Amino acid sequence: MCHREAAVMLKAFFRELPTSLFPVEYIPAFITLMERGPHIKVQFQALHLMVMALPDANRDTAQVLMTFFNKVIANESKNRMSIWNISTIMAPNLFFSRSKHSDYEELQLANTAAHIIRLMLKYQKILWKVPSFLIMQVRRMNEATMLLKKQLPSVKKLLRRKTIEREVISPKTSKVLQKSPSSRRMSDVPEGVIRVHAPLLSKVSMAIQLTSHTKAKDILAKFQYENSYGSSECIKIQNQRLYEIGGNIGQHCLDPDAYILDVYHVNPQAEWVIKPQSSF
């Protein structure tokens, strides 16, 4: 078939889905953002959150689709399909509602949807990664939760009971207990050094001295070098990623270009593990 017929089929495929690829319920929030005229960064953050909230199938399809659209746009001189043309043509098929709207609402919906598609096309290389501001928010929430757990009423009752039983010894003991975790950590691993574990590789553990230039891919390269004796080991390390686990985060798969010293300073209590990347 010719390219025009292929384009018609692509539009029809998404238009005939039971629900739109992108939830139309998010459109009013974007309309409000655009009417208030915020900085493009605020709009992008809202878009980033929308993408993170998508079901896996929708998000994976959107990523492939945006990659394809950018390939089409790269040949604009031959096909005359600019980012504006692509967004105007495809947006109504990716954001649609079965309910009825007035002509004004339909126009507003189409314009906002096209604007969202343009944002996705422009920033699609970073759109599929968990945004840093969201990770920082999760860290703060985890830190607040850990602090709250330390102040549970049951713990307070236990401390009061111990205070009664050991009037003089208890304060000294509590201070020792409070200091022991950090002092143990300092004695186990020097400042700026992390111990990385790779349970699925031959070289299962390695101490890494961090510098301001150390990236996640550098640590993976070190393990690849140490495990480069067999072809099967090389294949294993190619499919593995560095994870930051515990501390003020649950589990965080680090981007290969992430600067590890910065992550270490934000979460010094974390453990570092190399393992296969889980599905999104």
Side-chain angles (χ1 to χ4, degrees):
M1 65 176 68
C2 72
H3 63 279
R4 291 186 182 87
E5 292 173 338
V8 170
M9 284 192 64
L10 181 64
K11 290 192 294 182
F13 172 80
F14 285 102
R15 189 72 184 183
E16 293 172 9
L17 289 175
T19 57
S20 63
L21 182 64
F22 301 115
V24 72
E25 291 79 12
Y26 288 101
I27 292 291
F30 276 95
I31 292 175
T32 302
L33 284 173
M34 292 172 65
E35 287 176 347
R36 294 179 179 177
H39 193 275
I40 195 69
K41 181 180 179 181
V42 179
Q43 294 183 14
F44 176 70
Q45 286 181 343
L47 173 63
H48 218 158
L49 290 174
M50 184 194 80
V51 169
M52 292 297 104
L54 288 174
D56 290 353
N58 296 55
R59 184 171 51 247
D60 293 343
T61 303
Q63 184 175 6
V64 174
L65 193 61
M66 294 304 144
T67 301
F68 169 68
F69 286 160
N70 274 317
K71 289 181 179 179
V72 174
I73 294 168
N75 291 280
E76 180 184 352
S77 59
K78 299 177 182 178
N79 56 36
R80 293 185 291 181
M81 293 303 294
S82 65
I83 188 172
W84 281 86
N85 291 338
I86 286 281
S87 61
T88 303
I89 292 170
M90 290 303 302
N93 303 288
L94 304 178
F95 290 90
F96 63 82
S97 174
R98 303 298 183 191
S99 57
K100 292 184 178 180
H101 299 279
S102 65
D103 292 342
Y104 174 75
E105 288 174 335
E106 286 286 351
L107 180 62
Q108 196 174 38
L109 174 65
N111 289 337
T112 306
H115 177 68
I116 293 173
I117 296 299
R118 285 193 292 273
L119 280 178
M120 296 186 77
L121 290 170
K122 186 175 181 180
Y123 298 105
Q124 84 105 10
K125 288 186 178 180
I126 59 174
L127 193 59
W128 318 106
K129 300 175 182 178
V130 180
S132 57
F133 73 88
L134 188 59
I135 294 176
M136 289 305 300
Q137 187 172 350
V138 171
R139 292 188 193 281
R140 294 191 189 102
M141 290 172 62
N142 287 338
E143 287 170 353
T145 301
M146 289 187 290
L147 182 62
L148 185 62
K149 286 181 178 180
K150 291 179 180 179
Q151 299 173 347
L152 287 174
S154 58
V155 177
K156 291 182 179 180
K157 289 180 181 178
L158 181 62
L159 290 175
R160 279 199 294 270
R161 191 187 314 157
K162 287 187 175 183
T163 303
I164 294 173
E165 294 173 355
R166 308 170 185 176
E167 293 182 356
V168 179
I169 302 174
S170 178
K172 295 180 181 179
T173 306
S174 63
K175 287 181 181 179
V176 172
L177 290 173
Q178 289 172 3
K179 291 182 180 180
S180 59
S182 60
S183 62
R184 278 200 304 271
R185 179 173 179 81
M186 290 300 291
S187 61
D188 290 345
V189 183
E191 179 71 21
V193 175
I194 62 172
R195 180 160 291 281
V196 182
H197 302 278
L200 299 181
L201 301 177
S202 300
K203 181 76 172 181
V204 297
S205 180
M206 190 186 304
I208 305 290
Q209 174 66 61
L210 300 179
T211 69
S212 59
H213 303 292
T214 306
K215 295 183 178 181
K217 62 183 180 184
D218 299 328
I219 295 176
L220 291 171
K222 285 180 182 292
F223 273 86
Q224 184 171 13
Y225 176 78
E226 292 292 335
N227 293 274
S228 59
Y229 303 109
S231 58
S232 60
E233 292 292 335
C234 290
I235 295 173
K236 280 184 182 179
I237 193 66
Q238 289 174 3
N239 298 323
Q240 313 248 340
R241 297 287 290 272
L242 178 62
Y243 282 78
E244 164 203 7
I245 300 176
N248 57 23
I249 202 77
Q251 178 171 281
H252 179 203
C253 180
L254 295 168
D255 187 272
D257 289 319
Y259 289 97
I260 304 304
L261 188 61
D262 293 339
V263 182
Y264 169 81
H265 286 151
V266 173
N267 190 10
Q269 303 299 324
E271 293 184 358
W272 310 88
V273 179
I274 293 176
K275 62 178 185 173
Q277 184 177 9
S278 58
S279 59
F280 198 98

